[in-house]
Amino acid sequence: KVDRLFRRFFDLPFIGMAVNDPRDGAWVQYNDHLCAMLGYSREEFLKLSWVDVTHKDDIERDYEKFGAVLAGTAEALSADKRLRHKNGGTLHAALDIRAVRDDEGRVEYIFTAVQDITDRIHMMERLRQSEARLRTLLQTVPDMIWLKDTEGRYLLCNRSYERFLGRTEEQIIGCTDAEFISQEHAQAVR
């Protein structure tokens, strides 16, 4: 019953799952979702190793990380990495890797759960680009601009405001008006 329950869990289509041989990285078992994420049929996927589906720039780093799991200095590894889709594209994935050891402590299998985070990575990049554009706009406006939190602490300011206070943004962020002007004036501003 436990084997059947495990098999049903393993085959659920919400996350890619794989079991690898620690000696050569060969697939011992994998689910259809992992194959579909990377664009391969089950038969095609069987001919590949984890190195074959890893972005070439991540392979060396992955060997180091996996080496710690195989050596026993780490039981688990969680990491974001890039995988190669069959069509040549890049899939960003969050991996959770666990070593399964025998009674003598040797690694028998490597269990891996793979979640596609490509959309999240692209959304974060678009957000970074948007923030960079906003920052450029903020810095080029000749008017003084600043932003404070609900406690009156500076969160950001532009160059015009830096010149007005005679301080750098790094010296202003996190401060309140009371640190630049008298308590009485700071209270009036607040």
Side-chain angles (χ1 to χ4, degrees):
K1 182 173 180 167
V2 172
D3 287 342
R4 189 168 51 112
L5 181 63
F6 174 76
R7 184 77 232 162
R8 289 173 71 190
F9 173 75
F10 191 85
D11 287 334
L12 287 174
F14 64 88
I15 194 165
M17 298 193 67
V19 179
N20 293 84
D21 186 314
R23 295 174 301 232
D24 60 6
W27 309 107
V28 175
Q29 190 59 261
Y30 48 89
N31 67 3
D32 290 334
H33 190 72
L34 182 60
C35 296
M37 280 173 41
L38 295 170
Y40 292 98
S41 69
R42 288 189 68 81
E43 295 74 28
E44 292 171 318
F45 201 72
L46 183 60
K47 298 173 185 171
L48 305 171
S49 73
W50 70 268
V51 173
D52 297 321
V53 296
T54 298
H55 189 281
K56 64 180 177 63
D57 294 339
D58 293 349
I59 293 172
E60 189 173 323
R61 183 197 64 184
D62 287 352
Y63 270 123
E64 291 174 22
K65 288 183 176 184
F66 296 143
V69 174
L70 294 175
T73 57
E75 281 303 307
L77 168 67
S78 293
D80 291 351
K81 68 178 276 178
R82 295 172 293 178
L83 299 173
R84 290 188 334 206
H85 192 277
K86 180 182 176 181
N87 68 11
T90 299
L91 177 116
H92 295 271
L95 271 65
D96 189 24
I97 299 164
R98 300 278 185 253
V100 176
R101 299 183 184 282
D102 63 18
D103 292 338
E104 285 79 43
R106 292 183 301 260
V107 178
E108 279 189 292
Y109 299 105
I110 302 291
F111 274 57
T112 306
V114 182
Q115 183 178 4
D116 182 353
I117 60 169
T118 304
D119 289 341
R120 180 173 44 176
I121 295 295
H122 290 164
M123 183 177 60
M124 288 170 49
E125 182 56 33
R126 286 191 302 274
L127 179 60
R128 274 192 291 275
Q129 290 171 357
S130 177
E131 287 174 346
R133 285 190 298 271
L134 180 60
R135 190 87 170 132
T136 299
L137 177 65
L138 176 78
Q139 292 302 342
T140 57
V141 170
D143 296 325
M144 293 185 292
I145 299 175
W146 66 91
L147 177 67
K148 296 180 185 178
D149 65 15
T150 57
E151 300 298 314
R153 295 197 177 284
Y154 286 95
L155 299 173
L156 62 84
C157 66
N158 68 354
R159 288 188 189 105
S160 295
Y161 200 72
E162 286 178 316
R163 284 190 294 276
F164 172 74
L165 283 182
R167 313 256 173 134
T168 65
E169 185 178 28
E170 291 78 26
Q171 294 169 321
I172 298 169
I173 301 304
C175 296
T176 64
D177 290 320
E179 296 171 63
F180 305 119
I181 57 178
S182 72
Q183 232 6 310
E184 181 182 330
H185 286 101
Q187 193 60 21
V189 169
R190 185 154 167 74

